[in-house]
Amino acid sequence: VGDEEALVIESPHPYASGDASGTVVFSRHVKYPGASYIALHFDRLELAPGDRVVIRGPGGQESYAYEGVGPNHGRPFWALSILGEAAVLELVSGAGGGAWATHRRGR
C-alpha cells in the first residue's frame, strides 16, 4: 500500500519523430523523496507503431517498456513499479505521430 500523488505529464501532441534506430524525444524524471517505489498510472497511451514508453530507474537498473495503447487495450493501467524514490519516463520514437498523456505516481 502506498501514497498516491497527482502528477500530470503530457508529451506534445503529436510528439516529435525520431530516427530509424529510435530516439528519446521526450523524457521526465519523477522523484518522491523517501519512497520505496515509484509506480506510474497511465490514463491514456496512444503511440505510433514501433514507438515505446520506457520507465526505468535513474541508473538504468530496471526497465519496462509499453507500446501501442498499452497492456490494457487502451484503458487506464498501472505500469510496473521501479524500486526507490526516483524513476525516468522516456518516449522513444522511430516513427512519431502518436500521443500519450496523464500519468500519476504513487509510492
Side-chain angles (χ1 to χ4, degrees), residues 2-8 31-33 39 78 103-107:
D3 296 333
E4 189 173 316
E5 181 175 313
L7 171 69
V8 176
K31 188 167 185 173
Y32 194 104
W78 284 97
H103 312 286
R104 290 178 290 176
R105 67 177 174 201
R107 77 169 191 143

Short mmCIF file of all heavy atoms in Angstrom, two decimals, residues 2-8 31-33 39 78 103-107:
data_model
loop_
_atom_site.label_atom_id
_atom_site.label_comp_id
_atom_site.label_asym_id
_atom_site.label_seq_id
_atom_site.Cartn_x
_atom_site.Cartn_y
_atom_site.Cartn_z
N GLY A 2 0.52 2.22 -0.76
CA GLY A 2 1.34 3.42 -0.85
C GLY A 2 0.50 4.67 -0.93
O GLY A 2 -0.72 4.63 -0.99
N ASP A 3 1.20 5.78 -0.92
CA ASP A 3 0.56 7.08 -1.10
C ASP A 3 0.41 7.34 -2.59
O ASP A 3 1.20 6.87 -3.39
CB ASP A 3 1.42 8.19 -0.51
CG ASP A 3 1.59 8.05 1.00
OD1 ASP A 3 0.70 7.47 1.64
OD2 ASP A 3 2.63 8.52 1.51
N GLU A 4 -0.59 8.10 -2.93
CA GLU A 4 -0.77 8.48 -4.33
C GLU A 4 -0.65 9.99 -4.42
O GLU A 4 -1.22 10.72 -3.62
CB GLU A 4 -2.14 8.04 -4.84
CG GLU A 4 -2.31 8.21 -6.31
CD GLU A 4 -3.59 7.60 -6.81
OE1 GLU A 4 -3.93 6.48 -6.41
OE2 GLU A 4 -4.27 8.28 -7.60
N GLU A 5 0.13 10.45 -5.38
CA GLU A 5 0.31 11.88 -5.59
C GLU A 5 -0.01 12.21 -7.04
O GLU A 5 0.52 11.57 -7.95
CB GLU A 5 1.75 12.28 -5.27
CG GLU A 5 1.98 13.75 -5.45
CD GLU A 5 3.38 14.16 -5.04
OE1 GLU A 5 3.82 13.75 -3.97
OE2 GLU A 5 4.00 14.90 -5.80
N ALA A 6 -0.87 13.17 -7.24
CA ALA A 6 -1.24 13.56 -8.61
C ALA A 6 -0.06 14.25 -9.29
O ALA A 6 0.58 15.12 -8.72
CB ALA A 6 -2.44 14.48 -8.59
N LEU A 7 0.24 13.80 -10.47
CA LEU A 7 1.29 14.38 -11.28
C LEU A 7 0.88 14.18 -12.73
O LEU A 7 0.68 13.05 -13.16
CB LEU A 7 2.63 13.68 -11.03
CG LEU A 7 3.78 14.02 -11.95
CD1 LEU A 7 4.24 15.45 -11.72
CD2 LEU A 7 4.92 13.06 -11.74
N VAL A 8 0.69 15.24 -13.46
CA VAL A 8 0.29 15.12 -14.86
C VAL A 8 1.51 15.36 -15.73
O VAL A 8 2.18 16.38 -15.60
CB VAL A 8 -0.83 16.12 -15.21
CG1 VAL A 8 -1.18 16.05 -16.68
CG2 VAL A 8 -2.06 15.85 -14.35
N LYS A 31 10.42 12.04 -9.04
CA LYS A 31 11.08 11.78 -7.75
C LYS A 31 10.11 12.02 -6.61
O LYS A 31 9.35 12.99 -6.62
CB LYS A 31 12.31 12.66 -7.60
CG LYS A 31 13.13 12.30 -6.39
CD LYS A 31 14.48 12.96 -6.41
CE LYS A 31 15.28 12.45 -5.23
NZ LYS A 31 16.65 12.89 -5.23
N TYR A 32 10.14 11.11 -5.64
CA TYR A 32 9.33 11.22 -4.43
C TYR A 32 10.26 10.85 -3.28
O TYR A 32 10.44 9.66 -2.99
CB TYR A 32 8.13 10.29 -4.51
CG TYR A 32 7.07 10.55 -3.48
CD1 TYR A 32 5.89 11.19 -3.82
CD2 TYR A 32 7.24 10.16 -2.16
CE1 TYR A 32 4.91 11.44 -2.88
CE2 TYR A 32 6.27 10.41 -1.21
CZ TYR A 32 5.11 11.04 -1.58
OH TYR A 32 4.14 11.29 -0.64
N PRO A 33 10.90 11.84 -2.63
CA PRO A 33 11.87 11.55 -1.59
C PRO A 33 11.32 10.62 -0.50
O PRO A 33 10.22 10.80 -0.01
CB PRO A 33 12.21 12.93 -1.01
CG PRO A 33 11.95 13.87 -2.16
CD PRO A 33 10.74 13.28 -2.86
N ALA A 39 5.40 4.01 -8.95
CA ALA A 39 4.52 3.33 -9.91
C ALA A 39 3.73 4.41 -10.64
O ALA A 39 3.08 5.24 -10.01
CB ALA A 39 3.57 2.37 -9.19
N TRP A 78 -1.78 0.68 -14.51
CA TRP A 78 -0.61 0.96 -13.68
C TRP A 78 0.58 0.26 -14.31
O TRP A 78 0.54 -0.93 -14.59
CB TRP A 78 -0.79 0.45 -12.25
CG TRP A 78 -1.68 1.31 -11.42
CD1 TRP A 78 -3.01 1.12 -11.19
CD2 TRP A 78 -1.32 2.48 -10.72
NE1 TRP A 78 -3.50 2.12 -10.39
CE2 TRP A 78 -2.48 2.97 -10.07
CE3 TRP A 78 -0.12 3.19 -10.56
CZ2 TRP A 78 -2.46 4.12 -9.29
CZ3 TRP A 78 -0.12 4.34 -9.78
CH2 TRP A 78 -1.29 4.79 -9.16
N HIS A 103 -0.24 10.89 -16.36
CA HIS A 103 0.35 9.87 -15.51
C HIS A 103 0.28 10.35 -14.07
O HIS A 103 0.39 11.53 -13.81
CB HIS A 103 1.82 9.65 -15.88
CG HIS A 103 2.03 9.50 -17.34
ND1 HIS A 103 1.68 8.38 -18.02
CD2 HIS A 103 2.49 10.37 -18.25
CE1 HIS A 103 1.96 8.55 -19.29
NE2 HIS A 103 2.44 9.76 -19.45
N ARG A 104 0.10 9.42 -13.17
CA ARG A 104 0.18 9.74 -11.75
C ARG A 104 1.25 8.87 -11.14
O ARG A 104 1.49 7.76 -11.60
CB ARG A 104 -1.16 9.45 -11.06
CG ARG A 104 -2.23 10.42 -11.45
CD ARG A 104 -3.51 10.05 -10.79
NE ARG A 104 -3.98 8.81 -11.39
CZ ARG A 104 -5.06 8.15 -10.98
NH1 ARG A 104 -5.75 8.59 -9.97
NH2 ARG A 104 -5.44 7.06 -11.60
N ARG A 105 1.84 9.32 -10.07
CA ARG A 105 2.84 8.49 -9.41
C ARG A 105 2.34 8.09 -8.04
O ARG A 105 1.55 8.81 -7.42
CB ARG A 105 4.18 9.20 -9.32
CG ARG A 105 4.16 10.41 -8.40
CD ARG A 105 5.53 11.03 -8.31
NE ARG A 105 5.43 12.26 -7.54
CZ ARG A 105 6.30 13.22 -7.59
NH1 ARG A 105 7.35 13.13 -8.38
NH2 ARG A 105 6.17 14.30 -6.86
N GLY A 106 2.79 6.98 -7.56
CA GLY A 106 2.44 6.51 -6.22
C GLY A 106 3.69 6.05 -5.51
O GLY A 106 4.74 5.97 -6.10
N ARG A 107 3.54 5.75 -4.25
CA ARG A 107 4.69 5.17 -3.54
C ARG A 107 4.20 4.18 -2.52
O ARG A 107 3.07 4.15 -2.14
CB ARG A 107 5.55 6.23 -2.91
CG ARG A 107 4.99 6.83 -1.64
CD ARG A 107 5.99 7.68 -0.95
NE ARG A 107 5.40 7.95 0.34
CZ ARG A 107 6.07 8.02 1.44
NH1 ARG A 107 7.34 7.86 1.46
NH2 ARG A 107 5.46 8.28 2.56
#
